[in-house]
């Protein structure tokens, strides 16, 4: 699994979400920039992401995922 594949999949499945992916192989760090996700509880945010990655986690293509969530404003300040 490549970082570009993870980015493409999540951006396709989650409109209005910018995805920055670091890592390679089966371990990834995701920075997810979305006002929609930022409005959800931490558990709901993670559920949204895992729902799209579960098949790859189950088959071992993805072993570990860490996630950080940002609103558009928070990401702009960080950059």
């Amino acid at each position: 699994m490549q970082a570009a594949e993870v980015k493409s999949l999540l951006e396709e499945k989650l409109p209005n979400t910018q995805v920055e992916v670091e890592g390679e192989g089966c371990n990834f760090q995701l920075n997810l920039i979305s006002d929609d996700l930022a409005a959800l509880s931490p558990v709901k945010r993670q559920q949204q992401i895992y729902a799209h990655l579960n098949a790859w986690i189950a088959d071992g293509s993805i072993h570990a995922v860490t996630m950080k969530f940002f609103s558009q404003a928070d990401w702009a300040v960080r950059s």
Side-chain angles (χ1 to χ4, degrees), residues 29-46:
Q29 163 69 45
L30 307 177
N31 291 318
L32 299 123
I33 302 97
S34 168
D35 290 335
D36 295 340
L37 290 173
L40 299 175
S41 72
V43 170
K44 293 287 186 190
R45 292 179 201 166
Q46 289 187 352

Side-chain angles (χ1 to χ4, degrees), residues 9-54:
L9 169 83
L10 291 176
E11 287 184 342
E12 177 184 320
K13 300 288 186 180
L14 298 166
N16 304 317
T17 300
Q18 176 185 343
V19 181
E20 301 295 329
V21 182
E22 297 175 16
E24 57 185 48
C26 59
N27 299 310
F28 298 99
Q29 163 69 45
L30 307 177
N31 291 318
L32 299 123
I33 302 97
S34 168
D35 290 335
D36 295 340
L37 290 173
L40 299 175
S41 72
V43 170
K44 293 287 186 190
R45 292 179 201 166
Q46 289 187 352
Q47 288 173 335
Q48 291 274 322
I49 304 309
Y50 282 125
H52 302 298
L53 299 179
N54 274 339

